[in-house]
């Protein structure tokens, strides 16, 4: 029997099932208006036909309420909108569960990009030894962040999990019960979560998904590629930001950092304890049963009785497991050896830390903290710093910093930021003592602009009684300007004797983080991606020159505008001039639940990332290098896109448009994450302080997705207009990097829907600005279709396109309601007597609609 094409598998297992279960769902009564489920499909139809007739969201809502619900009072109209929001939020959950249940059927789990595919290709091409050598040194590190783009509370995540299982088993009675439970379960958090709450939510994924998936993947490779030889390299590493990311988050305290680290350790020990208990039922042999029981008891006490005390060390745990392994092999015919090996692999991967807790702070904060520290030492007549430090040249400052060491005490300072920064460094030492060095061994500097930023941070670490720190200082380059100078900054560090000596102690490895989010916000889509590509090439060359193994850590978010999209294709496209011994990426919000939320999706996406590294370094080595001519074309495209984006960003209506016509200001009012929506404290919006998530998210809520396409059409049009189209066409046909870049832009455009905001073109203040966006959208869409040779966007990803279309149809009423509410707020604010209470009600509608729209997009912000 032939396997059906992917789109047919999607239609049968996702679309058909969703329609069946949704028909059950909308008949369930959840509130006093029993016919709300019947009215919703009608409202969806009215929205679709209304936008085709170029009606405004206000006209659509007014028409519907007058014709179908006979509502004339505003209070009743508001009530029905809230009811619709409640239903639509839950329809999105239902579709998520149906899609998750069908994941292994729609996606070929053993096909291209899988571990099996890697093994078979290596066997066929005679590259098995090369593959073994590569896997012995390669790593994939997924870093879970607490960026607030996941709106489901824990109770709803649990229902999604149970609903997915019920749908997979076609258990209609259970599905109906879970849908009823879903209808009665609140979606909204009454209070903002603190960073510890966020950490606990994400640790659920570590325990229930990453733990077994990562172990199974390495176990498969150990058995089928390494022929049973133990893999010493930790192929898959996990990183963690909640509780350690202080950048712009005043709620991350030292106590929370330490509590999160302890929770990570307790969680991994709990996973080991459960596995040991299962092994205990199997390893009942002479000389083995006592050893297993001893481990079970020590792990139990460490998890449930500890209060921070550990009754077994990692070394003792490994030694005992290896002792059991030897006895099983020598005396018991290797019975249950496979299960024992599986546990040993996980212990090798996760130690007692589970995931490495990264500490992050902004360079601007460090500047203020360092001034405070300098002032303290000068006032205390210490000779650590000269009084005229800030008058010295950069080289003279480097010389001073190279000799800095001390034993600073946070209690000597009054400033809370200074105290917490010093305490965060001391917390790293405590975590390393309790969880091992991998518990916390990276200090990331956001907005890094100079070598001085790194050396002053390193000096602060040394001042905390830590002369030879077992911690890596990781500069994060974000703006276009900083990316351009990144390699010269790193050369200053590599040639600094003190820092060079530090790198010797760190195995000559230097991790460098590159920020897609703020890069796109700063320079636009094409320039951000090309700047990062060029920076990686320059940083690779500079690092190789000084014998440094550079590791790139990419701040990739969910959508293409934040470096997301077909991420694995980007890594497969990197040529030999970009170091690629590790793939490190941030994953946040709904991208965690969509890409790594189930055992199947986690395995599929982790295997694809691992396969991307193998493809680039083993199977397609030296094949993806861009020629000089191709680089020139790419550079021209980036410059043209940058010029267009800058003129757009500098438009006098840019900030007012976001403030007055989008949902930007409402992100700060939602109880979705612990972080404020901007870094600064000023009331006025400063573009530099604006975080990438509310920035990208606001465009997404408008269904305009500007950061994912703006400037692309203008750049391509130049080549079309100057009869040089063949240059960009050849680049698209021959470069996987450029093709993936444009395919991800197509995804952004596919998720755009300009009829929603077409009413804005008549706005006296913002009409011209809206038209600028729309014109660029049309040109980008036209030329992307031309270069791809397609009639429709995402033609080559029919299942992905179908998923987007269904999700967009589900949320169309929600988007219409949101725009209606925004229009009413603007109307009410212009009235002679302002009704503050009514404005607050409509603001609540806007905030509630944010949730469903973002969850439905899965990679929108």
């Amino acid at each position: 029997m032939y396997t059906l094409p992917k789109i047919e598998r999607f239609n049968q297992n996702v679309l058909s099932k969703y329609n069946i279960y949704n028909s059950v769902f909308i008949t369930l009564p959840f509130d006093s208006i029993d016919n709300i489920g019947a009215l919703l499909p009608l409202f969806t139809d009215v929205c679709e036909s209304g936008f085709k007739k170029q009606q405004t969201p206000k006209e659509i809502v007014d028409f519907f309420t007058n014709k179908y619900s006979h509502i004339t009072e505003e209070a009743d109209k508001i009530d029905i909108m809230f009811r619709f929001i409640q239903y639509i939020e839950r329809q999105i959950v239902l579709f998520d569960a149906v899609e998750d249940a069908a994941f292994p059927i729609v996606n070929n789990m053993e096909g291209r990009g899988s571990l099996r595919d890697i093994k078979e290709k290596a066997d066929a091409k005679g590259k098995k030894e090369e593959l073994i050598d590569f896997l012995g040194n390669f790593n994939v590190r997924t870093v879970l962040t607490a960026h607030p783009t996941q709106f489901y509370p824990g109770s709803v995540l649990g229902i999604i999990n149970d609903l997915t299982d019920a749908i997979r088993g076609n258990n209609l009675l259970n599905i109906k019960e879970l849908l009823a439970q879903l209808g009665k379960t609140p979606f909204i958090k009454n209070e903002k979560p603190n960073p510890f709450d966020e950490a606990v939510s994400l640790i659920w994924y570590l325990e229930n998904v990453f733990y077994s998936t990562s172990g199974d993947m390495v176990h498969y490779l150990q058995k089928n590629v390494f022929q049973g030889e133990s893999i010493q390299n930790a192929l898959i590493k996990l990183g963690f930001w909640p509780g350690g990311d202080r950048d712009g988050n005043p709620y991350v305290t030292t106590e929370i950092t330490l509590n999160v680290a302890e929770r990570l350790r307790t969680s991994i020990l709990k996973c080991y304890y459960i596995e040991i208990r299962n092994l205990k039922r199997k390893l009942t042999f002479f000389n083995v049963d006592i050893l297993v029981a001893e481990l079970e008891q020590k792990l139990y006490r460490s998890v449930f009785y500890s209060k921070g005390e550990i009754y077994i060390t990692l070394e003792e745990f490994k030694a005992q497991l290896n002792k059991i392994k030897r006895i099983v092999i020598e005396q018991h015919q290797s019975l249950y050896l496979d299960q024992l090996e599986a546990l040993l692999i996980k212990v090798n991967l996760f130690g007692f830390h589970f995931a490495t807790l990264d500490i992050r702070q902004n360079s601007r904060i460090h500047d203020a903290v360092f001034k405070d520290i300098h002032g303290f030492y000068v006032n205390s007549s210490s000779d650590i710093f000269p009084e005229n430090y800030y008058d010295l040249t950069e080289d003279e400052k480097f010389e001073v910093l190279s000799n800095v060491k001390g034993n600073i005490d946070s209690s000597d300072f009054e400033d809370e930021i200074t105290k917490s920064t010093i305490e965060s460094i001391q917390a790293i030492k405590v975590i390393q003592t309790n969880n091992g060095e991998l518990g916390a061994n990276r200090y990331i500097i956001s907005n890094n602009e100079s070598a001085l930023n790194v050396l002053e941070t390193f000096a602060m670490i040394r001042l905390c009684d830590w002369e030879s720190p077992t911690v890596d200082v990781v500069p994060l380059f974000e703006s276009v300007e900083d990316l351009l100078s990144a390699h010269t900054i790193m050369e200053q560090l590599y040639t600094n004797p003190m820092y060079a000596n530090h790198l010797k102690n760190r195995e000559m490895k230097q991790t460098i983080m590159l920020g897609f989010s703020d890069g796109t916000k700063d320079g636009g889509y094409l320039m951000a991606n090309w700047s990062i590509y060029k920076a990686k090439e320059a940083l690779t060359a500079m690092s190789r020159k000084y014998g440094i193994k550079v590791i790139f850590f990419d701040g990739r978010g969910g959508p293409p505008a934040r470096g997301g999209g077909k991420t694995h294709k980007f890594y497969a496209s990197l040529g030999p001039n970009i170091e690629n011994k590790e793939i490190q990426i941030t994953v946040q919000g709904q991208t965690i639940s969509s890409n790594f939320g189930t055992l199947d999706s986690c395995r599929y996406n982790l295997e694809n990332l691992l396969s991307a590294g193998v493809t680039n370094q083993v199977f397609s080595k030296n094949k993806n290098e861009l020629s000089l001519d191709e680089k020139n074309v790419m550079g021209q495209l980036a410059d043209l896109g940058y010029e267009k984006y800058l003129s757009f960003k500098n438009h006098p209506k840019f900030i007012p448009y976001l403030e007055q016509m989008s949902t930007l200001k409402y992100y700060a009012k939602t109880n979705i994450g612990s972080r404020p929506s901007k870094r600064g404290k000023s009331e006025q919006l400063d573009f530099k302080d604006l975080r990438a998530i509310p920035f990208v998210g606001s465009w997404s809520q408008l269904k305009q997705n500007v950061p994912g396409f703006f400037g692309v059409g203008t750049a391509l049009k130049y080549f079309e207009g100057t009869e040089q189209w063949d240059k960009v066409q050849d680049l698209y046909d021959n470069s996987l990097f450029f093709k993936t870049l444009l395919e991800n832009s197509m995804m952004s455009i596919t998720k755009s829907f300009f009829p929603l905001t077409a009413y804005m073109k008549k706005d006296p203040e913002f009409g011209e600005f809206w038209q600028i966006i729309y014109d660029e959208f049309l040109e980008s869409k036209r030329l992307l279709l031309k270069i791809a040779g397609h009639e429709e966007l995402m033609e080559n990803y029919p299942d992905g396109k179908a998923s987007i279309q269904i999700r967009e149809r589900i949320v169309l009423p929600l988007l219409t309601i949101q725009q209606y509410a925004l229009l009413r707020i603007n109307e009410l604010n212009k009235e002679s007597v302002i009704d503050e209470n009514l404005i607050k009600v409509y603001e609540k509608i806007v905030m509630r609609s944010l949730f469903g729209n973002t969850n439905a997009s899965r990679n929108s912000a």
Side-chain angles (χ1 to χ4, degrees), residues 248-281:
N249 192 338
Y251 309 111
V252 176
T253 64
T254 306
E255 182 184 13
I256 281 177
T257 301
L258 293 170
N259 285 343
V260 169
E262 188 174 334
R263 183 61 175 256
L264 284 165
R265 186 186 68 244
T266 304
S267 295
I268 190 60
L269 290 175
K270 185 170 73 175
C271 291
Y272 295 154
Y273 168 71
I274 291 167
E275 203 152 348
I276 280 287
R277 282 205 67 181
N278 291 331
L279 273 172
K280 187 183 176 186
R281 297 182 63 181

Side-chain angles (χ1 to χ4, degrees), residues 10-21 98:
F10 178 88
N11 288 336
Q12 283 186 11
N13 295 280
V14 179
L15 181 57
S16 297
K17 281 192 176 182
Y18 170 73
N19 288 332
I20 291 166
Y21 297 136
V98 171

